[in-house]
Amino acid sequence: MRSPVTGIVGLLGLLLVLIVAYMSLFTVQQTEQTIVLQFGKPVDVVTDPGLHFKAPWNSVINIDKRILDLENPSQEVIASDQKRLVVDAFARYRIKDALRFYQSVGSIQAANLQLTSLLNAALRRVLGEVNFITVVRDEREKLMGRIREQLDHEADGYGIEVVDVRIRRADLPEQNSQAVYQRMQTERQREAAEFRAQGGQKAQEIRSKADREATVIIAEANSTAEQTRGVGDAERNRLFAEAYGKDADFFAFYRSMTAYENGLRSSDTRFLLRPDSDFFRYFSNPSGKTATTPANP
């Protein structure tokens, strides 16, 4: 029969074995790479995911192997044409050498600080060699490639690979932007005033030309009207003369009726004439003949 002491010793031994086994196993995730440390010194780097073994007295440090973000605060950069630019950029990087990374910077927070300093230096170097228009419009893609190459070269000593660098915004400082906008507004207003002046001048030329053409047309129309009127008057006079030659009495009667019509208006019918005037001869005699006074014997 086994004694209780033997059972306790066996249980303690099993527990010790489990503790040692637990301390000897570690897991590497697919998104991680692990450094094995022995008394604070790295002895191994494990990059394959899964369950792995180590000495019980060794420790492990997990380092992310995914692509990491580096958000850089806005920086003021001076271009080659001495214009100040506010540049907002960011970078993407990954840790390609976990051992070198651990020995040089030690943590992602320290790496971000170091990369921020290197990124700002690369921005000033590259953007300081070109002018403002090249940065904001012409060759931004090419400049971002140059910045990435320089940053990647400098970050290689820390076991870091720079995947991408992007300039999110590159613009003038706020006070400069306002001055540019005001200058652009003034220029647009000047151009608008110039266009209005040219339009007014063109409109005046068109009006002057139209008035001149209207004057010519009216003069020609009046001339044609006068000629037509003259022809009509001549024809009328000819007809009157012809009518007078055919019937002098009727022509005299017609002229008297016309004179009555023109003279006896509805507004005023007063005449200062003698009753026996020749004007009223058709009033006293329908034939228009003046009565003759018989001579004394």
Side-chain angles (χ1 to χ4, degrees):
M1 183 176 180
R2 298 174 61 185
S3 64
V5 176
T6 304
I8 293 174
V9 171
L11 183 61
L12 292 176
L14 179 61
L15 181 61
L16 180 61
V17 170
L18 291 176
I19 293 174
V20 171
Y22 176 77
M23 295 178 63
S24 301
L25 297 174
F26 66 95
T27 303
V28 178
Q29 302 293 333
Q30 291 182 346
T31 60
E32 295 175 341
Q33 47 192 335
T34 302
I35 300 177
V36 181
L37 303 177
Q38 183 175 345
F39 306 115
K41 294 182 179 181
V43 294
D44 191 15
V45 177
V46 180
T47 58
D48 297 329
L51 187 63
H52 298 270
F53 294 92
K54 66 179 180 60
W57 53 84
N58 290 347
S59 60
V60 296
I61 295 178
N62 296 321
I63 297 176
D64 202 327
K65 65 179 181 181
R66 293 173 296 182
I67 294 178
L68 304 176
D69 297 335
L70 176 65
E71 291 293 337
N72 190 47
S74 298
Q75 299 292 323
E76 189 171 286
V77 179
I78 300 177
S80 63
D81 52 2
Q82 301 304 310
K83 289 187 177 180
R84 295 181 178 273
L85 295 172
V86 176
V87 180
D88 183 9
F90 65 91
R92 299 288 184 266
Y93 71 95
R94 67 180 184 88
I95 301 170
K96 65 178 182 179
D97 190 336
L99 181 59
R100 187 185 302 176
F101 175 83
Y102 175 76
Q103 292 175 336
S104 58
V105 291
S107 66
I108 292 178
Q109 290 76 13
N112 286 340
L113 292 176
Q114 187 65 29
L115 288 176
T116 298
S117 177
L118 295 176
L119 176 59
N120 291 334
L123 285 171
R124 290 188 173 92
R125 283 195 303 269
V126 175
L127 301 184
E129 297 174 357
V130 295
N131 57 34
F132 171 75
I133 298 299
T134 303
V135 177
V136 300
R137 188 187 66 186
D138 294 343
E139 299 181 3
R140 178 178 292 195
E141 191 73 25
K142 182 179 178 181
L143 294 175
M144 291 188 295
R146 290 176 56 191
I147 295 171
R148 190 203 66 79
E149 291 175 359
Q150 293 189 16
L151 181 60
D152 181 60
H153 177 72
E154 295 176 346
D156 183 68
Y158 303 103
I160 295 174
E161 177 187 2
V162 178
V163 177
D164 192 17
V165 173
R166 292 288 167 179
I167 297 176
R168 184 183 290 114
R169 183 178 71 91
D171 204 352
L172 295 172
E174 183 63 25
Q175 61 272 20
N176 293 9
S177 298
Q178 293 299 328
V180 172
Y181 294 152
Q182 291 178 359
R183 185 164 63 250
M184 292 173 61
Q185 184 179 11
T186 302
E187 182 65 19
R188 299 292 87 76
Q189 290 175 349
R190 185 192 64 78
E191 292 180 357
E194 183 178 354
F195 290 151
R196 283 194 292 268
Q198 293 176 355
Q201 179 181 0
K202 192 66 176 178
Q204 184 63 34
E205 293 176 356
I206 294 174
R207 282 194 293 268
S208 300
K209 182 179 179 180
D211 292 342
R212 183 169 61 253
E213 291 178 353
T215 302
V216 172
I217 292 173
I218 292 174
E220 292 177 352
N222 289 335
S223 175
T224 303
E226 290 297 330
Q227 293 177 4
T228 305
R229 191 178 295 110
V231 173
D233 290 344
E235 182 64 17
R236 183 191 62 180
N237 294 334
R238 185 187 67 78
L239 294 174
F240 281 166
E242 184 179 352
Y244 180 77
K246 292 182 178 180
D247 193 342
D249 292 337
F250 175 79
F251 186 74
F253 174 76
Y254 175 78
R255 292 187 60 186
S256 297
M257 293 300 104
T258 302
Y260 293 157
E261 180 181 4
N262 294 330
L264 298 176
R265 299 294 183 182
S266 59
S267 59
D268 191 5
T269 58
R270 291 174 297 176
F271 287 94
L272 298 178
L273 297 171
R274 292 174 54 188
D276 57 350
S277 171
D278 188 58
F279 185 76
F280 294 110
R281 58 180 177 171
Y282 286 98
F283 281 80
S284 58
N285 189 346
S287 62
K289 295 180 179 180
T290 304
T292 56
T293 305
N296 293 325

